Amino acid sequence: MALQLGDIAPDFTQDSTEGPIHFHDWAAGSWVVLFSHPKDFTPVCTTELGAVAKLKPEFDKRGVKVIGLSVDPTDSHDSWAKDIAETQGAALNFPLLADHDRSVASLYGMIHPNASDTLTVRSVFVIDPNRKVRLSLTYPASTGRNFDELLRVIDSLQLTDRFKVATPANWKHGEDVIIVPAVDNEAAKALFPQGWTEVKPYLRTVKLPA
Ligand code: BEZ
């Protein structure tokens, strides 16, 4: 069965551009973004890996480790990394798994046989420090992902964990957030002593907690 939100992200050991990775040990209580791309030396993938390398300081700021994957071997990754550095204005600064036996791709359902029976699709998993899958998404090979959106989701997830708030549609950092329904008004008084706006009893907004 496909991995679902709340599931424990499966452990694995696989080769990478930074040597063998024992996933749970490598994650070591951090947030993780694990993402697959279809193939080395392809145009969209080249731009994606450059985009993630440029955003690395933003992932670091949020305590997030990033790791990529395709079914290409490490020598291919190493050689492609030179093209990424040359063309994207940023060199690879995170590990790329070389999933040559497709063991990780199978474990995480990254091969969708009716799209391609050999290549991984563009999967993303956000995994929390308790190893739980908190987001999964799948993009087609022809569409590069929006990694700023991924940062936005991570901000939202981390706010939920810290402050018991949710984020509305199209929320941007700094805008008001929503008190989660599981927090009743009595509990909300302790959590948000500055008060909140009750648009409806089930829709209560507050300033972003500091
Ligand atoms: C790309 O990265 O450009 C790509 C990879 C596989 C299929 C289509 C596009």
Side-chain angles (χ1 to χ4, degrees), residues 4 6 8 21 23 27 40 44 56 74 78 86-87 101 104 109 120 139 147 165 167 169 174 178-179 182 188-189 195:
Q4 298 185 327
I8 295 295
I21 300 248
F23 185 59
D40 294 359
V44 176
K56 176 81 165 21
T74 46
D78 290 341
E86 181 191 322
T87 63
D101 59 2
V104 181
T120 40
Y139 268 41
F147 291 94
V165 293
T167 53
I178 290 169
I179 302 172
K189 276 183 207 156

Side-chain angles (χ1 to χ4, degrees), residues 38 42-45 122 141:
T42 51
V44 176
C45 299
R122 297 190 195 280

